[in-house]
Amino acid sequence: MSAADWQRIDRLPNIYCAGCGNGSVINCTLAAVEEMGWTRENTVFISGIGCSSRAPGYILTDSLHTTHGRALAFATGVKLANPALNVVVFTGDGDLAAIGGNHFIHACRRNVDMTAICMNNQIYGMTGGQGSPTTPRGAISTTTPYGSAEPVFDLAELAVAAGANHVARWTSYHVKELMAAIATGLQTPGFSLVEVMTQCPTNYGRRNRLRQVSDMIEHLRTHALLVQKRDRLIREGKPIPEGMFVVGELVRRHRPAMGVRA
Amino acid sequence: MSRMEFMQGNTACAEGALAAGCTFFGGYPITPSTEVAEHMALKLPKRGGVFIQMEDEIASIAAAIGASWTGARAMTATSGPGFSLMMENIGYAVMTETPCVIVNIQRGGPSTGQPTRAAQGDMLQCRFGSHGDYGIIAVCPASVQEMFDLTAEAFNLADRYRVPAFVMSDEIVGHMRERVMLADTVETTPRRPLSPGRLPFEPGEDGVPGFPEFGRGHAAHVTGLTHDERGYPDATDHAAHEKLVRRLYQKIESARREIADYEVTNPDAEVVFVTYGPPARTVWQVMHDLSDPAIGHLRLRLVWPFPEFALAAFPDAKVFLMPELNMGQISREVERHVDVPVVSLPKLGGELHTPAELKRALEVHR
């Protein structure tokens, strides 16, 4: 099988806008799943609500497209009831960090064996571009027309603090690194969060002086700070440049996990 | 071997679930339902099942629904505030036709209300509480024995019709202790699997699709969006939506004779009590005290889908009296099916009607 064999061809075209980053994330995920040797019979994709959460509908496996914010709670039931199933959750910044925040921290704490892939485009894309808990301060959205006044959540650091066994962050530009990080997440017993900074040209870029898709991807590339470099800056007592986000593997560990196949 | 025990209603509810083969419980502590979860926490792990205490009631029912898709008989138990939180995911279970059992040990509401006192205030919420049109099944135990029997039966009904089934009990029956006969196993109707060549949401003649259990190679896509028989979203087509919602409604309503569960006492009576849940117990006492064949009793062990034909079992009825632990939620359902007066006898505050209160009502209304 190849990654293409995992797709529901009869559901094309998908709902994603031209230039959307979600396709890259789905491709990287399917490549990683394929690399793991998982089959369509023993793999389940689960999601909540939002653009990211439409992904399972395009994948040819059992899939549960659930309610807004609750995907990890549904996934906990699936995995604990049948640990033989491989469980992957697609979610977004609004789904995971806002309405689903409580389920997120408890999924990390329980460390149930699954991989959650968060497509963080820093906006509510499906509903037309409202501010989310990861919309940068000052950014324009339809509900922050004068610039967002709220500090943001760092989802990856939150997952580290809450106890996930594996946490990584990459961008839709870093496809090779992203694929490797997802594969690591799939291999790691316990909960894995792979956060992917991705572009929403329709509802974020055009309101925030990133009118071309290439500008958005370039923005992601130039604002990604490797975790090793950040650590070096800290060691040297130097300031971390503003507006940057950390990429790389933030943690890989072996806390006790639930739902691990015997 | 079956065994006789003296136990609490909530414990009997858990025992009924175990006898029915429940292997997954997701729950969150809430008075007065917590003993159901505690008993499942004690028993399920020893039987190879899964008990998990989730972070809230929203997650509890979500986990139960997720577990159900792996083929497990799954349940949750709660009371008013938790029940309100579950409403969105109850609609999801309805839309995705996920069998699951939801126990509500009702307490006084609205809001935090009376955590330790009984009520029947969620009878309409269980039928209509999630948005949109749909049908569900709800049983109402009046004794500890019925907590066992009807909880077990709720699993059969949920699987048979691929629908959430509610055990609408209350603090009185939940915390009451009585003698109960525990069957080791009960008659179970297994979930009908998806037949080869059929689509995941293609209904049989009874309007119920076969179940495409996860992990069996069906590649079933399950969504709360309006979907076609493949399970694929089709959220803007009016015909697709109408077809789906009518089927979800009709598969329950059209089966209500088959689903119905009620008792008729003194069918020639002129004055008839209609009860569900523990108000039946006061009526039993009144009928025992008065021993009058002109007093009838229709006791509903199952309230939804409403068995309106059961009212016709009393052709001479001149008045129906409805003692309920709410402001008359089901009396309105009775009213719309009969031509004679229906008198609502509401009781709020957590106590049952006394026999004297019901005898007074008889004097006034017969």
Side-chain angles (χ1 to χ4, degrees):
Chain A
M1 273 198 347
S2 72
D5 294 327
W6 291 79
Q7 296 185 22
R8 289 186 194 268
I9 304 298
D10 58 350
R11 285 223 55 214
L12 296 175
N14 60 36
I15 60 160
Y16 298 130
C17 304
C20 174
N22 289 359
S24 308
V25 183
I26 296 169
N27 274 339
C28 289
T29 305
L30 293 179
V33 165
E34 176 68 18
E35 192 180 297
M36 289 291 290
W38 291 359
T39 67
R40 291 198 300 234
E41 287 72 31
N42 65 17
T43 306
V44 181
F45 287 90
I46 299 175
S47 63
I49 294 292
C51 293
S52 60
S53 292
R54 288 301 188 95
Y58 303 116
I59 301 174
L60 194 54
T61 65
D62 293 324
S63 48
L64 206 55
H65 175 225
T66 70
T67 50
H68 196 21
R70 320 300 175 197
L72 292 171
F74 283 89
T76 298
V78 170
K79 184 63 181 176
L80 293 183
N82 186 357
L85 296 172
N86 303 303
V87 174
V88 180
V89 174
F90 284 120
T91 181
D93 43 306
D95 197 53
L96 186 70
I99 190 166
N102 197 30
H103 309 303
F104 177 36
I105 56 176
H106 286 279
C108 294
R109 172 183 66 81
R110 284 194 192 96
N111 220 5
V112 176
D113 187 22
M114 63 177 76
T115 300
I117 297 161
C118 177
M119 305 178 198
N120 179 358
N121 58 9
Q122 308 175 301
I123 201 83
Y124 285 83
M126 184 160 273
T127 47
Q130 296 74 37
S132 90
T134 62
T135 300
R137 269 167 78 90
I140 306 295
S141 76
T142 62
T143 49
T144 59
Y146 308 111
S148 174
E150 298 188 9
V152 302
F153 251 146
D154 185 322
L155 302 184
E157 290 293 357
L158 187 58
V160 172
N165 261 0
H166 171 252
V167 178
R169 183 195 285 123
W170 288 102
T171 79
S172 53
Y173 167 80
H174 300 89
V175 287
K176 285 219 157 70
E177 294 88 342
L178 174 59
M179 203 192 100
I182 295 171
T184 302
L186 302 179
Q187 285 160 20
T188 307
F191 190 83
S192 165
L193 173 74
V194 180
E195 181 186 354
V196 194
M197 305 301 289
T198 181
Q199 74 277 10
C200 176
T202 303
N203 279 317
Y204 187 88
R206 73 187 163 107
R207 296 194 180 96
N208 288 283
R209 296 181 186 166
L210 294 163
R211 297 191 71 88
Q212 301 294 322
V213 175
S214 52
D215 294 343
M216 294 201 78
I217 295 174
E218 179 65 8
H219 182 89
L220 292 173
R221 187 183 73 81
T222 53
H223 288 73
L225 176 67
L226 258 179
V227 62
Q228 291 84 351
K229 190 168 177 191
R230 178 200 64 178
D231 293 347
R232 197 177 71 225
L233 289 172
I234 291 171
R235 272 199 310 276
E236 294 169 354
K238 291 180 181 162
I240 311 248
E242 249 186 66
M244 303 284 279
F245 54 87
V246 173
V247 296
E249 185 172 277
L250 277 77
V251 77
R252 197 192 310 186
R253 59 191 165 191
H254 302 283
R255 283 181 66 244
M258 297 177 70
V260 179
R261 192 171 19 219
Chain B
M1 281 297 288
S2 300
R3 62 190 196 279
M4 184 80 83
E5 284 203 27
F6 182 71
M7 65 167 56
Q8 192 191 64
N10 281 342
T11 314
C13 171
E15 284 289 336
L18 293 166
C22 174
T23 55
F24 188 95
F25 186 101
Y28 187 83
I30 184 168
T31 304
S33 81
T34 307
E35 296 85 1
V36 183
E38 288 173 339
H39 198 67
M40 293 304 261
L42 189 68
K43 297 281 179 166
L44 269 176
K46 289 183 174 175
R47 298 169 175 234
V50 175
F51 170 88
I52 184 155
Q53 183 172 320
M54 295 298 288
E55 53 273 19
D56 57 30
E57 288 89 347
I58 299 171
S60 299
I61 185 164
I65 293 168
S68 180
W69 277 96
T70 72
R73 281 195 151 181
M75 77 183 292
T76 185
T78 189
S79 189
F83 198 57
S84 292
L85 284 178
M86 289 183 183
M87 283 299 141
E88 186 191 8
N89 282 343
I90 286 169
Y92 181 81
V94 167
M95 191 62 147
T96 56
E97 301 181 73
T98 308
C100 54
V101 170
I102 299 147
V103 176
N104 181 352
I105 309 299
Q106 295 171 86
R107 67 190 223 186
S111 191
T112 313
Q114 291 182 293
T116 61
R117 291 285 179 266
Q120 295 180 306
D122 310 344
M123 293 307 299
L124 293 179
Q125 189 185 19
C126 87
R127 173 65 186 82
F128 298 107
S130 198
H131 53 282
D133 286 303
Y134 58 93
I136 50 85
I137 297 173
V139 296
C140 289
S143 65
V144 173
Q145 183 68 54
E146 285 188 348
M147 283 294 260
F148 180 88
D149 296 340
L150 292 180
T151 302
E153 184 55 19
F155 281 93
N156 285 340
L157 292 166
D159 274 348
R160 169 72 184 82
Y161 295 99
R162 279 190 63 180
V163 72
F166 297 83
V167 179
M168 295 300 289
S169 185
D170 59 89
E171 191 276 335
I172 290 172
V173 179
H175 282 164
M176 181 164 65
R177 285 167 199 274
E178 280 184 321
R179 193 175 62 174
V180 54
M181 180 67 84
L182 300 176
D184 270 352
T185 54
V186 295
E187 195 180 327
T188 55
T189 324
R191 205 177 289 180
R192 190 173 70 214
L194 182 66
S195 307
R198 300 299 281 268
L199 296 167
F201 289 89
E202 184 183 344
E205 280 184 9
D206 56 1
V208 183
F211 189 77
E213 184 179 315
F214 281 7
R216 306 268 169 171
H218 295 301
H221 181 57
V222 179
T223 177
L225 284 165
T226 293
H227 47 272
D228 61 21
E229 292 181 348
R230 295 171 299 177
Y232 289 3
D234 193 356
T236 52
D237 184 76
H238 67 88
H241 185 74
E242 179 164 1
K243 185 178 172 194
L244 175 61
V245 174
R246 279 189 185 276
R247 182 172 66 74
L248 294 177
Y249 186 85
Q250 283 300 337
K251 73 173 179 179
I252 304 302
E253 287 299 319
S254 66
R256 62 193 190 286
R257 282 179 191 273
E258 185 185 325
I259 296 171
D261 188 354
Y262 57 88
E263 280 175 6
V264 171
T265 311
N266 294 345
D268 300 329
E270 294 189 346
V271 52
V272 178
F273 285 106
V274 181
T275 67
Y276 52 92
R281 304 175 72 94
T282 311
V283 173
W284 288 334
Q285 185 63 50
V286 168
M287 293 180 70
H288 175 268
D289 292 348
L290 302 181
S291 186
D292 180 349
I295 303 169
H297 187 191
L298 172 63
R299 186 169 79 88
L300 305 172
R301 283 159 41 106
L302 184 147
V303 168
W304 303 116
F306 190 77
E308 85 289 346
F309 45 85
L311 296 162
F314 299 90
D316 302 327
K318 293 200 166 52
V319 61
F320 288 96
L321 303 182
M322 286 211 63
E324 298 179 81
L325 304 183
N326 57 44
M327 288 298 286
Q329 294 194 2
I330 303 299
S331 71
R332 270 180 272 184
E333 184 68 24
V334 174
E335 224 166 75
R336 72 193 189 95
H337 295 297
V338 297
D339 297 327
V340 298
V342 176
V343 177
S344 172
L345 303 169
K347 177 97 177 184
L348 302 177
E351 300 286 322
L352 279 179
H353 303 74
T354 63
E357 284 168 343
L358 294 191
K359 285 173 189 170
R360 217 159 30 241
L362 275 174
E363 282 164 22
V364 172
H365 296 291
R366 69 190 305 185

